[in-house]
Amino acid sequence: MRGTPEAEASRWFRQSELDLEDADFNRSGGRYHLAYFLAQQSAEKALKAYLCSIGVKVIGFVRQHWGGFDPWAPFRPLEVGRVASQA
């Protein structure tokens, strides 16, 4: 982390905005494959900004969270043999 969680969130969000601007530029030029990729990158960086803002330390693919909140819980696969209604 380069600073406070707020500063880190702000940095990630600004990078997200720039990627989205570049995606729009490429879309307007008909470079749809690149626009799609940059839009995906923008969304990922916006998510990292959000996670930083709620106290999750994001380091590449490794994340450490403080407190008991697990923002990834809804996305974890169910255990083998477990029924969705038991989740």
Side-chain angles (χ1 to χ4, degrees):
M1 191 179 306
R2 296 182 180 198
T4 65
E6 295 82 15
E8 189 70 359
S10 180
R11 185 178 71 83
W12 278 113
F13 191 73
R14 181 64 187 138
Q15 289 179 359
S16 171
E17 291 177 320
L18 292 173
D19 282 354
L20 193 55
E21 289 174 15
D22 289 341
D24 189 48
F25 176 79
N26 281 282
R27 182 201 51 80
S28 66
R31 309 270 319 250
Y32 301 112
H33 64 289
L34 188 52
Y36 175 81
F37 172 75
L38 289 168
Q40 180 274 328
Q41 290 293 298
S42 174
E44 185 175 323
K45 290 172 185 175
L47 176 59
K48 286 182 182 183
Y50 167 71
L51 292 174
C52 286
S53 75
I54 63 169
V56 177
K57 186 175 182 182
V58 180
I59 307 171
F61 294 112
V62 178
R63 62 196 178 278
Q64 300 171 347
H65 55 90
W66 300 297
F69 179 70
D70 182 4
W72 296 101
F75 305 105
R76 295 194 194 291
L78 297 175
E79 295 174 16
V80 175
R82 196 167 178 192
V83 180
S85 62
Q86 297 173 337

